[in-house]
Amino acid sequence: MVVRVQTEDFDVAREIALLRGSDARVGAVASFIGIVRDQNDAATVRTLTLEHYPGMTEKALVGIVDEARRRWSIIDAAVIHRVGKLAPTDQIVLVAVSSAHRGDAFAACEFIIDFLKTQAPFWKKEVTPDGERWVEARTSDDEAAARW
Amino acid sequence: MVVRVQTEDFDVAREIALLRGSDARVGAVASFIGIVRDQNDAATVRTLTLEHYPGMTEKALVGIVDEARRRWSIIDAAVIHRVGKLAPTDQIVLVAVSSAHRGDAFAACEFIIDFLKTQAPFWKKEVTPDGERWVEARTSDDEAAARW
Amino acid sequence: MVELIYLARLRDRFGLPGESVALPGDVADVGALLAWLRSRGGAWSSELAPGRAVRVAVNKDVARADTPVRTGDEVALFPPVTGG
Amino acid sequence: MVELIYLARLRDRFGLPGESVALPGDVADVGALLAWLRSRGGAWSSELAPGRAVRVAVNKDVARADTPVRTGDEVALFPPVTGG
């Protein structure tokens, strides 16, 4: 398992190659990339600053991946989340899951990002033409996590 | 939309970069990579040969992506499928979908691979220690496609 | 003439990738075409037996038993697909 | 002493990233801690008002109102998370 919080960007191809290693049992890799959009809640986003709670973040992410392992037959998973100052089109988060069969990889990948969005201690502050604002949590994210 | 059938391998990072372009509306990219496993139906797989029905394949794939566009709010999609002789750990297929919000990208990506598996004219022949065999269609794939 | 195309396992079993055929006047749809091919016996009879899963495309669109087959059409016969 | 940590919007509103506090003897769980902080008034009262969504972690695990708070604990207060 890889769980990382970093300011630097990540290379999706490299992370998927590391996730797969040389394991020939892997038949499926599902992945998700979250990206900074230039619009949020009807406002133009100029920059986004991500902060987290060091120490708790890694613990929360490992807990979410462990829960995914218990629920589905997956081979490995990687979660990489950036913090610091980002701009539209920047990558924020990568979740990648390997498994023998695709159903497990898709379900575990979507589960991990849904729980990351509602359980992992990250917060976004946006700079818009009207100034700075902390992003509000979304009901739709709570609903997405509650499905599982 | 990108729909491609090719013998060469594909570069996931490059394809996702092309899919995203410079479109700052993209907040989510969900992707799926199908990979040759070294085991299938309790036999060791040495090589796999993929054949298709040229002309119909592209038409079928475009039709599946169009249907995904009708059902979900996606920005773009790419489907790349290899044909010819492959070995365990080789990449077979990439499905990548971009959208503003993650639910659409995940659903469309899983829909496209489920329908590709049951509707697009590709066939696999495996070489195992006991000789060559055409892979049989799976009931589980029909069930996966029937969910939608 | 109608262009028949055999793919994957069917090509192996029939021993040919396809053929141009002149259909009898009463063979006007996919169901009748399959029955006519089946009457050749041997692999045609066994591979296209009613219980076997055979898929048909007419001019590269998925077809059913009642899909018409006309002169100039390309008709492909193949087993259930296994890509991805 | 208990180590309090304020994150994201709460750090901005309280104007500090955290503090070490000696809790009164009757403040033994998260609920009592929040009530005690609320009694400071001002931003403490408004940000931690019962209707507001405030999350608490004790020693980096998610906590509830009845989670015990003991000397030496690290207690973090933060708004609902918005990562990903």
Side-chain angles (χ1 to χ4, degrees):
Chain A
M1 185 197 311
V2 165
V3 163
R4 241 163 48 221
V5 178
Q6 61 188 39
T7 52
E8 317 87 72
D9 198 8
F10 49 80
D11 175 338
V12 174
R14 179 173 170 276
E15 298 303 336
I16 290 177
L18 289 171
L19 176 77
R20 293 181 49 193
S22 56
D23 192 335
R25 295 173 306 158
V26 174
V29 173
S31 67
F32 172 78
I33 307 167
I35 298 158
V36 183
R37 292 185 299 135
D38 63 0
Q39 290 282 324
N40 190 32
D41 292 336
T44 300
V45 176
R46 287 184 179 155
T47 66
L48 189 70
T49 303
L50 262 147
E51 93 168 50
H52 75 125
Y53 178 17
M56 182 172 173
T57 319
E58 291 78 359
K59 198 171 174 176
L61 295 176
V62 167
I64 293 167
V65 174
D66 280 342
E67 180 61 26
R69 281 185 180 284
R70 273 189 290 275
R71 294 190 186 206
W72 292 282
S73 182
I74 68 177
I75 294 173
D76 206 354
V79 181
I80 299 168
H81 201 297
R82 293 175 72 189
V83 291
K85 194 169 168 183
L86 302 174
T89 79
D90 282 350
Q91 302 186 120
I92 304 171
V93 61
L94 172 69
V95 178
V97 177
S98 61
S99 62
H101 302 289
R102 72 187 183 286
D104 293 303
F106 269 114
C109 186
E110 199 167 5
F111 171 89
I112 290 169
I113 186 65
D114 281 353
F115 273 73
L116 185 157
K117 288 241 175 198
T118 53
Q119 307 289 331
F122 293 100
W123 299 273
K124 288 183 183 130
K125 186 189 251 181
E126 291 173 346
V127 176
T128 74
D130 296 329
E132 287 192 350
R133 63 177 188 186
W134 287 99
V135 174
E136 294 287 325
R138 291 173 184 279
T139 312
S140 61
D141 285 330
D142 290 333
E143 289 164 357
R147 292 181 299 161
W148 305 100
Chain B
M1 185 197 310
V2 166
V3 163
R4 241 162 50 219
V5 178
Q6 61 188 40
T7 52
E8 317 86 73
D9 198 7
F10 48 81
D11 176 338
V12 173
R14 179 172 170 275
E15 299 303 335
I16 290 177
L18 289 170
L19 175 77
R20 294 180 49 192
S22 56
D23 191 335
R25 295 173 305 157
V26 174
V29 173
S31 67
F32 172 78
I33 307 167
I35 297 158
V36 183
R37 291 185 300 135
D38 63 0
Q39 291 281 325
N40 190 30
D41 292 334
T44 301
V45 175
R46 287 183 178 156
T47 66
L48 190 70
T49 304
L50 263 148
E51 93 168 50
H52 75 125
Y53 178 16
M56 181 172 173
T57 319
E58 291 78 359
K59 199 172 174 177
L61 295 176
V62 167
I64 293 167
V65 174
D66 280 342
E67 180 61 27
R69 282 185 181 285
R70 273 190 290 275
R71 294 191 185 205
W72 292 283
S73 180
I74 67 177
I75 294 174
D76 205 355
V79 181
I80 299 168
H81 201 297
R82 293 176 72 190
V83 291
K85 193 169 167 183
L86 302 175
T89 78
D90 282 351
Q91 300 186 122
I92 303 171
V93 61
L94 172 70
V95 178
V97 178
S98 61
S99 62
H101 303 289
R102 72 187 183 287
D104 293 302
F106 269 113
C109 186
E110 198 166 5
F111 172 88
I112 290 169
I113 185 65
D114 281 353
F115 273 73
L116 184 156
K117 288 242 174 197
T118 54
Q119 308 287 330
F122 292 100
W123 298 273
K124 287 182 184 132
K125 187 190 252 180
E126 291 174 345
V127 176
T128 74
D130 296 329
E132 287 192 353
R133 62 178 189 187
W134 287 100
V135 173
E136 295 286 325
R138 291 174 186 278
T139 311
S140 61
D141 285 331
D142 290 333
E143 289 164 358
R147 292 181 299 163
W148 306 100
Chain C
M1 303 294 277
V2 165
E3 199 66 31
L4 297 180
I5 294 183
Y6 309 127
L7 293 154
R9 192 191 68 232
L10 294 187
R11 183 191 55 242
D12 286 0
R13 298 292 157 81
F14 297 160
L16 74 172
E19 57 187 312
S20 292
V21 294
L23 295 182
D26 59 339
V27 175
D29 66 20
V30 165
L33 171 64
L34 290 178
W36 180 72
L37 290 171
R38 212 177 283 134
S39 71
R40 290 173 168 181
W44 305 91
S45 167
S46 57
E47 290 294 328
L48 305 179
R52 299 299 296 269
V54 174
R55 304 284 184 263
V56 180
V58 173
N59 299 326
K60 294 170 176 151
D61 279 321
V62 173
R64 300 181 314 169
D66 62 358
T67 302
V69 175
R70 298 186 185 88
T71 295
D73 282 349
E74 174 177 303
V75 182
L77 277 60
F78 47 83
V81 304
T82 57
Chain D
M1 302 294 276
V2 165
E3 197 66 30
L4 297 180
I5 295 183
Y6 309 128
L7 293 154
R9 191 191 70 232
L10 294 188
R11 184 192 51 242
D12 285 1
R13 298 291 158 80
F14 298 159
L16 72 172
E19 56 186 311
S20 291
V21 293
L23 295 182
D26 59 340
V27 175
D29 65 21
V30 166
L33 171 64
L34 290 178
W36 180 73
L37 290 171
R38 211 177 285 132
S39 71
R40 292 173 167 182
W44 305 90
S45 167
S46 57
E47 290 295 326
L48 305 179
R52 299 298 296 271
V54 174
R55 303 285 184 262
V56 180
V58 174
N59 299 326
K60 293 167 178 153
D61 279 320
V62 173
R64 302 181 313 171
D66 62 358
T67 302
V69 175
R70 298 186 185 88
T71 296
D73 283 349
E74 174 177 302
V75 181
L77 277 61
F78 47 84
V81 304
T82 57

